[in-house]
Amino acid sequence: MPSRTAGPGKAAVRGGRAPAAPGPRRAGGVRGAYERARRAWDRPLTAYYVIVGAGLLITALGLVMVYSASMITALRYDLVPSYFFRKQFFAALLGAGLLFAASRMPVRLHRALAYPILVGAIFLMVLVQVPGIGVSVGGNQNWISLGGPFMLQPSEFGKLALILWGADLLARKQDMKLLTQWKHMLVPLVPGTFLLLGLIMLGGDMGTAIILTAILFGLLWTAGAPTRLFVGVLGVAGALGMLLIKTSPHRMERLGCIGASDPGGAGDPCWQAAHGIYALASGGWFGSGLGASVEKWGQLPEAHTDFIFAVTGEELGLAGTLSVLALFAALGYAGIRVAGGTEDPFVRFAAGGVTTWITAQAVINIGAVLGLLPIAGVPLPLFSYGGSALLPTMFAVGLLIAFARQEPAAKAALAMRRPGWGKRAGGRWKSMRRRVKKRPSGER
């Protein structure tokens, strides 16, 4: 006589379905969140999406803040309120084209462009010193007038030129096993950098010279320069920098404004630094609201250029400034991942140089606004007003995107997402689907 106790098979039939097998347990809490974030970051396309997203978000937020911070300055010069925004928006459109072109170029084309860009940048920086061609702005003669309201600052393109030329030079020397000798690591990279630095310092722009020096150190560090060699170059550059600061009363005044909180009179050299702190302090947690800054009404000089971060803190508060910092941190970390995850020496050196450029310039600009560093007169990358700074920086971000796309794992992941991939790679699966006859609508 059969037993009345239903076994697993009968229970499955009576219940309609078998009990689900227990799956892997997910770790909860902080540890589980950390593991999930780590797995997400280790995906092949994470660096690619972070660079694209962070670069475009910084640029878009910068356009909004340029419009807000520059309206009063435009009205002061009897211009329409959107005057500076229109110019920046036009530069952003051109920069987007450069970013897209750079992201689609193969590495060999980037290497081929290194010497033409370097020669062009040097030629333009020489023209800056020619009377009647070069234009002085803010005491620094580093501009060329293009007619009407448009001007070009060639030293900004010198940063991109140094990265491409230096990366190509170091990559060729590494292929020939020459980087183990210190003279091949320094020559001609250091003399070429000093040539660019000399042309920049002829115009008095020490802020750009500092960024160029940081790029040189980034290239040497990525190339594996020994510590004693690195420290030696750093010591020489530091000594020259201190000499240039001590021989210039204007630079000594800027150095003395670190941490200044009392602006004194309108002619006080620390006026800008103190009002930058006032703008940040009055923003609170979430700011006074977009467009509601008080400091931009004449109290804060260069509100839409060098001190746009202060206006951001006043209008968007601590939440806004931390968001900007997080975007720059994400962009820098993704650049480091691209540089560290490639076997191509040119990609490694160029990605390291671009990451050093953007992060060092952001740190110097934000540090000056916070009163932690002297005011160097450099814009916040991708954020501040200035087409001459925006165009090469967006091209450099396009470089990082191209390098991130060309990682083997990322290239395979992107190939899987292209239209028609399933037809090529999954043709068998699609053909099997075609063989299945269509069942009547009532059949289960």
Side-chain angles (χ1 to χ4, degrees):
M1 185 175 182
S3 173
R4 295 183 179 181
T5 304
K10 295 181 180 180
V13 173
R14 291 173 184 174
R17 58 182 178 180
R25 296 181 62 184
R26 293 186 178 181
V30 177
R31 183 184 179 89
Y34 170 77
E35 290 297 328
R36 289 191 293 272
R38 186 179 61 82
R39 287 194 298 268
W41 179 252
D42 288 339
R43 291 174 182 171
L45 291 176
T46 299
Y48 168 75
Y49 287 128
V50 168
I51 294 170
V52 173
L56 294 182
L57 282 174
I58 294 171
T59 306
L61 183 57
L63 285 172
V64 174
M65 293 312 304
V66 164
Y67 180 62
S68 176
S70 65
M71 289 189 296
I72 307 305
T73 304
L75 292 174
R76 190 181 303 122
Y77 290 105
D78 295 327
L79 302 169
V80 294
S82 60
Y83 173 79
F84 294 104
F85 168 76
R86 291 177 183 177
K87 291 181 63 178
Q88 186 75 353
F89 184 73
F90 178 70
L93 290 179
L94 293 179
L98 291 176
L99 184 149
F100 180 78
S103 68
R104 294 290 175 172
M105 289 182 187
V107 172
R108 64 180 181 274
L109 183 55
H110 287 302
R111 298 186 69 166
L113 289 175
Y115 282 88
I117 293 178
L118 178 66
V119 172
I122 293 175
F123 176 73
L124 291 175
M125 283 192 279
V126 170
L127 284 183
V128 166
Q129 306 305 322
V130 177
I133 298 179
V135 178
S136 178
V137 176
N140 297 332
Q141 185 162 338
N142 284 301
W143 298 82
I144 294 177
S145 177
L146 300 179
F150 298 99
M151 291 196 298
L152 179 69
Q153 188 176 5
S155 57
E156 293 291 339
F157 294 87
K159 302 172 186 176
L160 178 63
L162 176 60
I163 290 172
L164 291 176
W165 172 69
D168 178 69
L169 178 68
L170 292 173
R172 286 188 287 109
K173 291 198 172 191
Q174 179 165 315
D175 292 338
M176 294 185 288
K177 313 296 184 185
L178 296 176
L179 288 184
T180 55
Q181 306 176 36
W182 68 268
K183 61 180 180 180
H184 285 290
M185 184 171 289
L186 296 182
V187 180
L189 178 60
V190 174
T193 305
F194 281 176
L195 172 61
L196 294 173
L197 288 173
L199 292 172
I200 292 172
M201 288 308 299
L202 282 176
D205 188 0
M206 190 169 182
T208 303
I210 293 173
I211 303 301
L212 219 65
T213 306
I215 293 172
L216 172 63
F217 291 150
L219 290 172
L220 291 176
W221 183 271
T222 311
T227 305
R228 61 183 183 278
L229 181 62
F230 193 82
V231 172
V233 176
L234 182 61
V236 172
L240 289 176
M242 290 304 300
L243 179 63
L244 292 172
I245 291 174
K246 284 187 172 294
T247 54
S248 172
H250 177 63
R251 296 187 186 117
M252 285 297 297
E253 289 176 350
R254 288 189 172 187
L255 189 63
C257 290
I258 296 178
S261 58
D262 184 7
D268 191 278
C270 298
W271 176 274
Q272 186 179 25
H275 279 278
I277 297 295
Y278 290 172
L280 290 171
S282 61
W285 289 100
F286 300 104
S288 57
L290 192 62
S293 169
V294 175
E295 291 292 335
K296 70 184 180 184
W297 284 78
Q299 300 296 325
L300 181 64
E302 308 297 336
H304 60 299
T305 55
D306 300 347
F307 270 67
I308 194 171
F309 189 75
V311 179
T312 303
E314 186 179 5
E315 295 188 349
L316 303 183
L318 183 64
T321 55
L322 289 181
S323 299
V324 175
L325 290 175
L327 289 173
F328 275 110
L331 183 60
Y333 193 75
I336 292 174
R337 170 171 167 169
V338 171
T342 182
E343 297 296 330
D344 190 329
F346 173 80
V347 172
R348 181 168 64 253
F349 300 142
V354 170
T355 305
T356 303
W357 167 16
I358 294 177
T359 53
Q361 187 164 323
V363 167
I364 291 173
N365 177 277
I366 295 172
V369 175
L370 295 175
L372 304 176
L373 295 173
I375 299 174
V378 296
L380 190 57
L382 302 172
F383 203 84
S384 295
Y385 170 79
S388 293
L390 184 63
L391 294 179
T393 309
M394 293 192 74
F395 186 91
V397 173
L399 277 177
L400 290 180
I401 295 173
F403 299 156
R405 286 169 54 91
Q406 291 171 7
E407 290 182 353
K411 190 180 293 186
L414 285 171
M416 293 176 63
R417 301 187 178 190
R418 289 174 186 164
W421 178 87
K423 184 178 180 180
R424 295 192 300 272
R428 181 182 175 187
W429 178 74
K430 285 193 172 185
S431 63
M432 291 179 67
R433 283 188 62 188
R434 295 191 195 100
R435 294 193 189 107
V436 178
K437 295 181 179 180
K438 187 176 180 181
R439 297 174 178 175
S441 58
E443 183 181 349
R444 293 185 180 180

